[in-house]
Amino acid sequence: MNRIMKWVAIFLFCLTAGQTAELFSADAKEVYAARRQAFVEKMGANSVAIIKAAPEVNRNGDVDYFYRQNSDFYYLTGLDEPEAVLILSKRGVFLRGSFQRANELLLMRERNPHREMWDGYMIGVERAPDMLGIEAARSIDELETYMTSVVRGADTLYLKVENVGFDQPLNAELDFIKKARQRLNDFAVVDPAGILVPMRQKKDAHELELLKKAIEITGKGHLDVMRTAKPGMYEYQLEATLEHAFQYNGAEREGFPSIVGSGPNSCILHYNTNRRQTEKGDMVVLDIGAEYGMYTADITRTIPISGKFTKEQKAIYSIVLEAQDAGIAAAVVGASFRAPNMAAYAKIQEGLQKLGILKEDAGRGAVRDFLPHGVSHYLGLDVHDVGTYGNLQVNDVITVEPGIYISESVAKKYDLPKAYWNIGVRIEDDVLITDNGPELLSFHAPRKPEEIEKVMAGK
Ligand code: GLY
Ligand code: MN
Ligand code: MN
C-alpha cells in the first residue's frame, strides 16, 4: 500500500470502527498480533484457548452501562466490541467451509446496517482480518459449533471460569465443559491467567505510551483542582473539575470512580459519594485516574482546601511524603514486591513516633490503625492490574501510595488533640521499574507541601 492509500485506510478506519484513539496508530494491529503469537507459543501442543469479550450489562430499562471491554480480551485483540470470542490454538482451528487451519480465530458480530444505524459502526467478519490483523474471523453465530470442534481431541482447554456460588445455577462455561467431557473426550481446564498475567505485567512500548498519556491527563486534572479549589465548594464540584480535564484532554472516561474525600471523608479509603460541602481547614484526598486507550492512571494528591496546611496537617503530610520517597526508592529490579511497602511502613512508624502520636514500643498493629492498606499494586488495563507479586521486574508499572488517616475514632483511641482530627493524607504515584532504578511517571502535579501551596496560591 502506498503512503496515501495507507492514510486513507486509517482515516476510513477511524470513521467506521468507532474505536479508541490508540487503534488509529498504524502499527497497533501488529502489537496485538505479536501478543497472540507469544500466547500461542506458551500453550501446550494439544491445547486450545477461549477468551471471551465482556458482555453488555443492563443498567435500567433500555439503558446499558457504558461498555468496557474485558481487559484480557482487549490485550489480545484490540477489539472494543461485545459478543466476540477469541480462539487460539497451537495445532490450528479447522475453518469450516475451507481446507485451512488457523492459529487464531475471532468469532464476532456480523455487520448489520440496521443495527449500525442505531448503535454505531461495527468492524464485521469481512473486515476483521485486515483491520485487526487477525488470521481468521467468523460469525459469533458459529460459536457453539467451533467450541465443540476445537475441544475435540484437545488435552487442555484454557478458559476462565468465573466463580459460581453453591446456590447459583452452573454458568455457561461449566455447562459447556461438562457436556463436552461427556460427549467428546476428557481435557484439563486451565486458567489462561497463567500465561496472560506475566505478559500483562510487563508493559511493552505501546502500553507505556498509553499509560503515560493517561498519567499526564490525570496530572492535569490535579493541577486544575489545585488552581481552583476553595472552601465551600462541594466535593462533586472538585470532581467535575477533575473529570472535565480528563475528557477535555482526550481520556475516554475514568478508570475507576473518582475519590474526592474532604474533612472526615479524607479518612475513608474508597469514599466516592462526593456530596459533602468542604469547609475551611479541611484536607481533601483526591484519588483519581483517567483512562486513555483503555489504560488507567492512579494518582492521589491531598490538598488543604484553604490553600495552606496547618502545622499538624503539614507534619502528617511530611511523614507520608517521606514514606513515599522511601517506598519509591525501594522499587528496584529484583527487590520483593513488598519492598516499597516495608520501606514506607517503617517511615510511617518512625514519623508517628517522632511526633509523639505513637509510643516508642508501638508495634505493627498500631501503625495499621493509621495505615490499614497496602502501599503498592500493579497498574495497567485494570487499576489493580494483574501481576505475579513476586520480585519487581523491568517494565512493571506499580503505584506507591502510603497514607495516614486520623479518623475521629483513631484520634480518640490515641487521645490526640483536636488539631489532628479528620486529617487523612494519601500520596499516590505511578512508577516504572527500569534497569536504572524507579522512574516516576506521574511527575506532572506537585507532591511537596510548599509546591502545592504555591500552585494553590496561583503562583
Ligand atoms: N484508587 C484505588 C487505589 O488507589 O488503589
Ligand atoms: Mn492505587
Ligand atoms: Mn488510587
Side-chain angles (χ1 to χ4, degrees):
M1 226 185 329
N2 70 34
R3 254 181 108 75
I4 295 175
M5 282 293 287
K6 190 167 163 185
W7 283 109
V8 169
I10 292 168
F11 177 66
L12 284 175
F13 183 89
C14 299
L15 273 185
T16 54
Q19 293 225 331
T20 51
E22 58 106 14
L23 262 185
F24 304 166
S25 117
D27 58 2
K29 62 184 178 185
E30 272 123 55
V31 172
Y32 295 104
R35 291 179 192 159
R36 290 191 296 273
Q37 201 180 333
F39 186 102
V40 170
E41 275 163 22
K42 292 185 181 82
M43 294 172 73
N46 199 17
S47 66
V48 61
I50 297 177
I51 318 268
K52 295 192 320 179
E56 286 171 298
V57 182
N58 184 256
R59 177 177 175 274
N60 62 308
D62 283 342
V63 182
D64 287 343
Y65 281 105
F66 193 95
Y67 184 71
R68 172 55 162 74
Q69 186 54 279
N70 171 279
S71 295
D72 285 342
F73 183 87
Y74 191 80
Y75 180 81
L76 292 171
T77 63
L79 177 65
D80 195 17
E81 285 184 13
E83 294 186 90
V85 171
L86 174 67
I87 299 179
L88 297 174
S89 162
K90 202 164 211 162
R91 57 184 182 157
V93 182
F94 184 70
L95 298 173
R96 284 158 36 93
S98 82
F99 294 104
Q100 287 165 335
R101 282 179 172 273
N103 293 117
E104 31 181 79
L105 170 65
L106 184 62
L107 301 173
M108 62 193 302
R109 304 191 302 195
E110 299 213 59
R111 292 190 71 189
N112 172 336
H114 177 73
R115 216 163 146 181
E116 287 182 53
M117 190 175 176
W118 284 91
D119 297 333
Y121 293 100
M122 301 149 96
I123 289 182
V125 169
E126 279 74 30
R127 299 190 299 180
D130 191 39
M131 283 182 154
L132 299 171
I134 193 95
E135 203 182 335
R138 294 287 186 272
S139 167
I140 191 69
D141 295 342
E142 297 187 67
L143 176 63
E144 227 180 290
T145 315
Y146 273 109
M147 293 251 299
T148 310
S149 92
V150 294
V151 293
R152 183 174 285 128
D155 57 29
T156 307
L157 169 64
Y158 295 92
L159 176 71
K160 190 162 209 76
V161 180
E162 303 298 342
N163 288 336
V164 283
F166 287 118
D167 56 345
Q168 288 168 345
L170 290 182
N171 68 12
E173 284 81 3
L174 286 174
D175 202 33
F176 166 76
I177 291 164
K178 193 172 143 200
K179 286 191 182 131
R181 277 175 172 160
Q182 279 166 359
R183 272 194 263 139
L184 304 170
N185 43 273
D186 200 10
F187 49 84
V189 178
V190 176
D191 191 338
I195 296 178
L196 272 170
V197 166
M199 286 176 72
R200 280 183 52 190
Q201 178 183 327
K202 190 181 176 71
K203 302 312 186 267
D204 60 34
H206 181 70
E207 297 182 285
L208 286 175
E209 201 182 312
L210 299 171
L211 254 175
K212 284 180 182 174
K213 184 82 184 165
I215 288 167
E216 184 191 339
I217 293 172
T218 306
K220 284 189 171 142
H222 275 303
L223 279 169
D224 280 358
V225 163
M226 287 180 193
R227 290 184 186 123
T228 54
K230 296 273 174 302
M233 284 177 78
Y234 285 85
E235 292 167 343
Y236 55 77
Q237 292 176 319
L238 306 178
E239 181 185 12
T241 305
L242 296 163
E243 293 176 8
H244 172 269
F246 290 3
Q247 298 221 5
Y248 190 83
N249 290 293
E252 296 105 48
R253 57 197 159 235
E254 306 87 65
F256 55 90
S258 299
I259 296 170
V260 182
S262 64
N265 299 335
S266 67
C267 300
I268 305 174
L269 305 180
H270 281 174
Y271 172 83
N272 58 25
T273 318
N274 303 352
R275 305 306 298 174
R276 180 179 173 274
Q277 187 174 22
T278 62
E279 291 173 13
K280 230 171 115 208
D282 281 350
M283 290 292 257
V284 189
V285 170
L286 306 130
D287 183 346
I288 56 164
E291 186 173 287
Y292 182 86
M294 303 289 268
Y295 285 78
T296 186
D298 186 11
I299 307 172
T300 307
R301 291 291 178 265
T302 302
I303 60 168
I305 194 73
S306 309
K308 271 211 158 304
F309 292 88
T310 64
K311 184 168 131 280
E312 290 77 12
Q313 288 171 346
K314 196 164 184 175
I316 297 297
Y317 190 97
S318 303
I319 297 172
V320 178
L321 187 61
E322 211 181 305
Q324 198 202 23
D325 283 337
I328 293 172
V332 295
V333 176
S336 152
F337 188 88
R338 289 180 46 73
N341 193 70
M342 288 179 349
Y345 257 86
K347 288 284 181 194
I348 298 274
Q349 178 162 6
E350 194 185 303
L352 288 175
Q353 283 168 337
K354 261 195 210 153
L355 209 56
I357 287 180
L358 281 183
K359 298 213 172 73
E360 281 308 311
D361 59 355
R364 267 297 150 98
V367 185
R368 288 197 76 84
D369 279 341
F370 293 86
L371 173 53
H373 61 75
V375 156
S376 293
H377 55 80
Y378 296 100
L379 185 69
L381 285 164
D382 297 328
V383 60
H384 294 171
D385 208 33
V386 294
T388 55
Y389 287 87
N391 289 347
L392 292 170
Q393 296 172 31
V394 173
N395 285 6
D396 287 354
V397 176
I398 65 165
T399 63
V400 180
E401 50 175 309
I404 293 178
Y405 311 92
I406 311 181
S407 64
E408 209 178 304
S409 68
V410 169
K412 282 180 180 158
K413 182 171 172 184
Y414 288 86
D415 203 15
L416 301 182
K418 275 249 160 118
Y420 282 111
W421 289 29
N422 297 321
I423 297 181
V425 175
R426 177 159 66 254
I427 315 173
E428 174 173 31
D429 280 272
D430 305 337
V431 175
L432 172 66
I433 310 300
T434 83
D435 272 328
N436 302 318
E439 183 185 331
L440 182 71
L441 299 179
S442 46
F443 55 83
H444 311 83
R447 297 187 296 139
K448 294 197 178 118
E450 307 74 38
E451 290 174 3
I452 292 173
E453 287 177 348
K454 238 188 198 167
V455 176
M456 291 188 77
K459 289 179 197 147

Coordinates of all heavy atoms in Angstrom, one line a residue, residues 134-188:
I134 N -6.1 -10.0 12.5 CA -6.4 -11.4 12.9 C -6.4 -12.4 11.8 O -6.7 -12.0 10.7 CB -7.8 -11.4 13.6 CG1 -8.0 -12.6 14.5 CG2 -9.0 -11.2 12.7 CD1 -7.7 -12.5 15.9
E135 N -5.9 -13.6 12.1 CA -5.8 -14.5 11.0 C -7.1 -14.9 10.3 O -7.2 -15.0 9.1 CB -5.1 -15.8 11.6 CG -4.3 -16.6 10.6 CD -3.7 -17.9 11.2 OE1 -3.5 -17.9 12.4 OE2 -3.5 -18.8 10.5
A136 N -8.1 -15.2 11.1 CA -9.4 -15.6 10.6 C -10.5 -15.1 11.4 O -10.4 -15.0 12.7 CB -9.5 -17.1 10.4
A137 N -11.6 -14.7 10.8 CA -12.8 -14.3 11.6 C -14.1 -15.0 11.0 O -14.2 -15.2 9.8 CB -13.0 -12.8 11.5
R138 N -15.0 -15.3 11.9 CA -16.2 -15.9 11.5 C -17.3 -15.3 12.4 O -17.1 -14.7 13.4 CB -16.2 -17.5 11.7 CG -15.2 -18.2 10.8 CD -15.7 -18.3 9.4 NE -14.9 -19.1 8.5 CZ -13.8 -18.7 7.9 NH1 -13.4 -17.4 8.0 NH2 -13.1 -19.5 7.1
S139 N -18.6 -15.6 12.0 CA -19.7 -15.1 12.8 C -19.8 -15.7 14.2 O -19.6 -16.9 14.3 CB -21.0 -15.3 12.0 OG -22.1 -15.1 12.9
I140 N -20.2 -14.9 15.1 CA -20.4 -15.4 16.5 C -21.5 -16.4 16.5 O -21.6 -17.2 17.5 CB -20.7 -14.2 17.5 CG1 -20.7 -14.6 18.9 CG2 -22.0 -13.5 17.1 CD1 -19.4 -15.0 19.5
D141 N -22.4 -16.4 15.5 CA -23.4 -17.4 15.4 C -22.9 -18.9 15.4 O -23.6 -19.8 15.6 CB -24.3 -17.2 14.2 CG -25.1 -15.9 14.3 OD1 -25.2 -15.4 15.4 OD2 -25.6 -15.4 13.3
E142 N -21.6 -19.0 15.0 CA -21.0 -20.3 14.9 C -20.3 -20.7 16.1 O -19.5 -21.7 16.1 CB -20.0 -20.3 13.7 CG -20.7 -20.1 12.3 CD -19.7 -20.3 11.2 OE1 -19.3 -21.4 11.0 OE2 -19.4 -19.3 10.5
L143 N -20.5 -20.0 17.2 CA -19.8 -20.2 18.5 C -19.8 -21.7 18.9 O -18.8 -22.3 19.2 CB -20.3 -19.3 19.6 CG -19.6 -19.5 20.9 CD1 -18.1 -19.2 20.9 CD2 -20.3 -18.5 22.0
E144 N -21.1 -22.2 19.0 CA -21.2 -23.5 19.6 C -20.5 -24.5 18.8 O -19.8 -25.4 19.3 CB -22.7 -23.8 19.7 CG -23.1 -24.4 21.0 CD -24.6 -24.7 21.1 OE1 -25.3 -23.7 21.1 OE2 -24.9 -25.9 21.1
T145 N -20.6 -24.4 17.5 CA -20.0 -25.4 16.6 C -18.5 -25.3 16.7 O -17.8 -26.4 16.9 CB -20.3 -25.0 15.1 OG1 -21.7 -24.7 15.0 CG2 -20.0 -26.1 14.1
Y146 N -17.9 -24.1 16.8 CA -16.5 -24.0 16.9 C -16.0 -24.5 18.3 O -14.9 -25.1 18.4 CB -16.0 -22.6 16.6 CG -15.7 -22.4 15.1 CD1 -16.6 -21.7 14.3 CD2 -14.7 -23.1 14.5 CE1 -16.4 -21.5 12.9 CE2 -14.4 -23.0 13.1 CZ -15.3 -22.2 12.3 OH -15.1 -22.1 11.0
M147 N -16.7 -24.1 19.3 CA -16.3 -24.5 20.7 C -16.2 -26.0 20.7 O -15.3 -26.6 21.3 CB -17.3 -24.0 21.7 CG -17.4 -22.5 21.9 SD -16.7 -21.8 23.4 CE -17.7 -22.5 24.7
T148 N -17.2 -26.7 20.2 CA -17.2 -28.2 20.2 C -16.0 -28.7 19.4 O -15.3 -29.6 19.8 CB -18.5 -28.7 19.7 OG1 -19.6 -28.1 20.4 CG2 -18.6 -30.2 19.9
S149 N -15.9 -28.1 18.2 CA -14.8 -28.7 17.3 C -13.4 -28.5 17.8 O -12.6 -29.3 17.6 CB -15.0 -28.2 15.8 OG -14.2 -27.0 15.6
V150 N -13.2 -27.4 18.5 CA -11.8 -27.1 19.0 C -11.4 -27.9 20.2 O -10.3 -28.2 20.4 CB -11.5 -25.6 19.2 CG1 -11.6 -24.8 18.0 CG2 -12.4 -25.0 20.3
V151 N -12.4 -28.3 21.0 CA -12.0 -29.1 22.2 C -11.9 -30.6 21.8 O -11.4 -31.4 22.6 CB -12.9 -29.0 23.4 CG1 -12.8 -27.6 24.0 CG2 -14.4 -29.3 23.1
R152 N -12.5 -31.0 20.7 CA -12.4 -32.4 20.3 C -10.9 -32.8 20.1 O -10.2 -32.2 19.3 CB -13.2 -32.6 18.9 CG -13.2 -34.0 18.5 CD -14.1 -34.3 17.3 NE -15.5 -34.2 17.6 CZ -16.4 -33.5 17.0 NH1 -16.0 -32.7 16.0 NH2 -17.7 -33.5 17.3
G153 N -10.5 -33.7 20.9 CA -9.1 -34.2 20.8 C -8.1 -33.4 21.5 O -6.9 -33.7 21.6
A154 N -8.6 -32.3 22.1 CA -7.6 -31.4 22.9 C -7.4 -32.0 24.3 O -8.3 -32.6 24.8 CB -8.2 -30.0 23.0
D155 N -6.2 -31.9 24.8 CA -5.9 -32.3 26.2 C -6.1 -31.2 27.2 O -6.2 -31.5 28.4 CB -4.6 -33.1 26.3 CG -3.4 -32.2 25.9 OD1 -3.5 -31.0 26.0 OD2 -2.4 -32.8 25.4
T156 N -6.0 -30.0 26.7 CA -6.1 -28.8 27.6 C -7.0 -27.7 27.0 O -6.8 -27.4 25.9 CB -4.7 -28.3 27.9 OG1 -3.9 -29.3 28.4 CG2 -4.8 -27.2 29.0
L157 N -7.8 -27.2 27.9 CA -8.6 -26.0 27.5 C -8.3 -24.9 28.4 O -8.5 -25.0 29.6 CB -10.1 -26.4 27.6 CG -11.1 -25.2 27.4 CD1 -11.0 -24.6 26.0 CD2 -12.5 -25.7 27.7
Y158 N -7.7 -23.8 27.8 CA -7.5 -22.6 28.6 C -8.8 -21.8 28.6 O -9.2 -21.3 27.5 CB -6.4 -21.7 28.0 CG -5.0 -22.4 28.1 CD1 -4.6 -23.2 27.0 CD2 -4.2 -22.3 29.2 CE1 -3.3 -23.8 27.0 CE2 -3.0 -22.9 29.2 CZ -2.5 -23.6 28.1 OH -1.3 -24.2 28.2
L159 N -9.4 -21.6 29.7 CA -10.7 -20.9 29.8 C -10.9 -20.4 31.2 O -10.7 -21.1 32.2 CB -11.9 -21.9 29.4 CG -13.3 -21.3 29.5 CD1 -13.6 -20.3 28.4 CD2 -14.3 -22.5 29.5
K160 N -11.2 -19.1 31.3 CA -11.5 -18.5 32.6 C -12.9 -18.9 33.0 O -13.9 -18.6 32.3 CB -11.4 -17.0 32.5 CG -11.4 -16.4 33.9 CD -10.9 -15.0 33.9 CE -10.3 -14.6 35.2 NZ -9.0 -15.2 35.5
V161 N -13.0 -19.6 34.1 CA -14.4 -20.0 34.6 C -14.6 -19.1 35.9 O -13.9 -19.3 36.8 CB -14.4 -21.5 35.0 CG1 -15.8 -21.8 35.5 CG2 -14.1 -22.3 33.7
E162 N -15.6 -18.2 35.7 CA -15.8 -17.4 36.9 C -16.3 -18.2 38.0 O -17.0 -19.2 37.9 CB -16.9 -16.3 36.5 CG -16.5 -15.5 35.3 CD -15.3 -14.6 35.5 OE1 -14.9 -14.4 36.6 OE2 -14.7 -14.2 34.4
N163 N -16.1 -17.7 39.2 CA -16.6 -18.4 40.4 C -18.1 -18.4 40.4 O -18.7 -17.4 40.1 CB -16.1 -17.7 41.7 CG -14.6 -17.9 41.9 OD1 -14.1 -18.8 41.4 ND2 -14.0 -16.9 42.6
V164 N -18.6 -19.6 40.7 CA -20.1 -19.6 40.9 C -20.4 -20.2 42.3 O -19.7 -21.1 42.8 CB -20.8 -20.5 39.8 CG1 -20.8 -19.8 38.5 CG2 -20.1 -21.9 39.7
G165 N -21.3 -19.5 42.9 CA -21.7 -19.9 44.3 C -22.5 -21.2 44.3 O -23.0 -21.6 43.2
F166 N -22.5 -21.9 45.4 CA -23.3 -23.2 45.5 C -24.8 -23.0 45.2 O -25.4 -23.9 44.8 CB -23.1 -23.7 46.9 CG -21.7 -24.3 47.1 CD1 -20.9 -23.8 48.1 CD2 -21.3 -25.3 46.4 CE1 -19.6 -24.3 48.3 CE2 -20.0 -25.8 46.6 CZ -19.2 -25.3 47.5
D167 N -25.2 -21.8 45.5 CA -26.7 -21.6 45.3 C -27.0 -21.0 43.9 O -28.2 -20.7 43.7 CB -27.2 -20.6 46.4 CG -26.4 -19.2 46.3 OD1 -25.4 -19.2 45.7 OD2 -26.9 -18.3 46.9
Q168 N -26.0 -21.0 43.0 CA -26.3 -20.5 41.7 C -26.3 -21.6 40.7 O -25.6 -22.6 40.9 CB -25.3 -19.4 41.3 CG -25.4 -18.1 42.1 CD -24.2 -17.2 41.9 OE1 -23.2 -17.7 41.4 NE2 -24.4 -16.0 42.3
P169 N -27.1 -21.4 39.6 CA -27.0 -22.5 38.6 C -25.7 -22.5 37.9 O -24.9 -21.5 38.0 CB -28.1 -22.0 37.6 CG -28.3 -20.6 37.9 CD -28.0 -20.3 39.3
L170 N -25.3 -23.6 37.3 CA -24.0 -23.6 36.6 C -23.9 -22.5 35.6 O -24.9 -22.2 34.9 CB -23.9 -25.0 35.9 CG -23.7 -26.2 36.8 CD1 -23.5 -27.4 36.0 CD2 -22.5 -26.0 37.7
N171 N -22.8 -21.9 35.5 CA -22.7 -20.9 34.4 C -22.4 -21.6 33.1 O -22.2 -22.8 33.0 CB -21.6 -19.9 34.7 CG -20.2 -20.4 34.7 OD1 -20.0 -21.5 34.3 ND2 -19.3 -19.6 35.3
A172 N -22.5 -20.8 32.0 CA -22.4 -21.4 30.6 C -21.1 -22.2 30.4 O -21.1 -23.2 29.8 CB -22.5 -20.2 29.6
E173 N -20.0 -21.7 30.9 CA -18.7 -22.3 30.7 C -18.7 -23.7 31.4 O -18.3 -24.7 30.8 CB -17.6 -21.5 31.3 CG -17.2 -20.3 30.5 CD -18.1 -19.1 30.8 OE1 -19.0 -19.2 31.6 OE2 -17.9 -18.1 30.1
L174 N -19.2 -23.8 32.6 CA -19.2 -25.1 33.3 C -20.1 -26.1 32.6 O -19.8 -27.3 32.5 CB -19.6 -24.9 34.8 CG -18.5 -24.2 35.7 CD1 -19.1 -24.0 37.0 CD2 -17.3 -25.1 35.8
D175 N -21.2 -25.5 32.1 CA -22.2 -26.4 31.4 C -21.5 -27.0 30.2 O -21.6 -28.2 29.9 CB -23.4 -25.5 31.1 CG -24.6 -26.4 30.8 OD1 -24.7 -27.4 31.5 OD2 -25.4 -26.0 30.0
F176 N -20.8 -26.1 29.4 CA -20.2 -26.5 28.2 C -19.1 -27.6 28.5 O -19.0 -28.6 27.8 CB -19.5 -25.3 27.5 CG -18.6 -25.6 26.4 CD1 -19.0 -26.1 25.2 CD2 -17.2 -25.6 26.7 CE1 -18.1 -26.5 24.2 CE2 -16.3 -25.9 25.7 CZ -16.8 -26.4 24.5
I177 N -18.3 -27.3 29.5 CA -17.2 -28.2 29.9 C -17.8 -29.6 30.2 O -17.3 -30.6 29.7 CB -16.4 -27.7 31.0 CG1 -15.6 -26.4 30.6 CG2 -15.4 -28.7 31.6 CD1 -15.0 -25.6 31.7
K178 N -18.8 -29.6 31.0 CA -19.4 -30.9 31.5 C -19.9 -31.7 30.3 O -19.6 -32.8 30.1 CB -20.6 -30.5 32.4 CG -21.1 -31.7 33.2 CD -22.1 -31.2 34.2 CE -23.2 -32.2 34.3 NZ -24.4 -31.6 34.9
K179 N -20.6 -31.0 29.4 CA -21.2 -31.7 28.3 C -20.1 -32.2 27.3 O -20.2 -33.3 26.8 CB -22.2 -30.8 27.5 CG -23.5 -30.6 28.3 CD -24.6 -30.0 27.5 CE -25.8 -29.8 28.3 NZ -26.4 -28.5 28.3
A180 N -19.1 -31.3 27.1 CA -18.1 -31.7 26.1 C -17.3 -32.8 26.6 O -16.9 -33.7 25.9 CB -17.1 -30.5 25.9
R181 N -17.1 -32.9 27.9 CA -16.3 -34.0 28.5 C -17.1 -35.3 28.4 O -16.5 -36.4 28.1 CB -16.0 -33.8 30.0 CG -14.8 -32.9 30.2 CD -14.6 -32.6 31.6 NE -13.3 -31.9 31.9 CZ -13.1 -31.2 33.0 NH1 -14.0 -31.1 33.9 NH2 -11.9 -30.7 33.2
Q182 N -18.4 -35.2 28.5 CA -19.3 -36.4 28.4 C -19.3 -36.9 26.9 O -19.2 -38.1 26.6 CB -20.7 -36.1 28.8 CG -20.9 -36.1 30.4 CD -22.2 -35.5 30.8 OE1 -22.9 -35.0 30.0 NE2 -22.4 -35.5 32.1
R183 N -19.5 -35.9 26.0 CA -19.7 -36.3 24.6 C -18.5 -36.6 23.8 O -18.4 -37.4 22.9 CB -20.5 -35.2 23.9 CG -22.0 -35.3 24.1 CD -22.7 -34.4 23.1 NE -23.1 -33.2 23.8 CZ -23.1 -32.0 23.3 NH1 -22.6 -31.8 22.1 NH2 -23.4 -30.9 24.0
L184 N -17.4 -35.8 24.2 CA -16.2 -35.9 23.3 C -15.1 -36.7 24.1 O -14.9 -37.9 23.9 CB -15.7 -34.5 23.0 CG -16.8 -33.6 22.2 CD1 -16.3 -32.2 22.1 CD2 -17.0 -34.2 20.9
N185 N -14.3 -36.0 24.8 CA -13.2 -36.5 25.5 C -12.8 -35.7 26.7 O -13.3 -34.6 26.9 CB -11.9 -36.5 24.6 CG -11.8 -35.2 23.8 OD1 -12.4 -35.0 22.7 ND2 -11.1 -34.2 24.4
D186 N -12.1 -36.3 27.6 CA -11.7 -35.6 28.8 C -10.6 -34.6 28.5 O -9.8 -34.8 27.6 CB -11.2 -36.5 29.9 CG -11.3 -35.9 31.3 OD1 -11.9 -34.8 31.4 OD2 -10.8 -36.4 32.2
F187 N -10.6 -33.5 29.1 CA -9.5 -32.5 29.0 C -9.4 -31.7 30.2 O -10.3 -31.5 31.0 CB -9.8 -31.6 27.8 CG -11.2 -31.0 27.8 CD1 -11.4 -29.8 28.5 CD2 -12.2 -31.6 27.0 CE1 -12.7 -29.3 28.5 CE2 -13.5 -31.0 27.1 CZ -13.7 -29.8 27.8
A188 N -8.2 -31.2 30.4 CA -7.9 -30.3 31.6 C -8.4 -28.9 31.3 O -8.3 -28.5 30.2 CB -6.5 -30.3 32.0

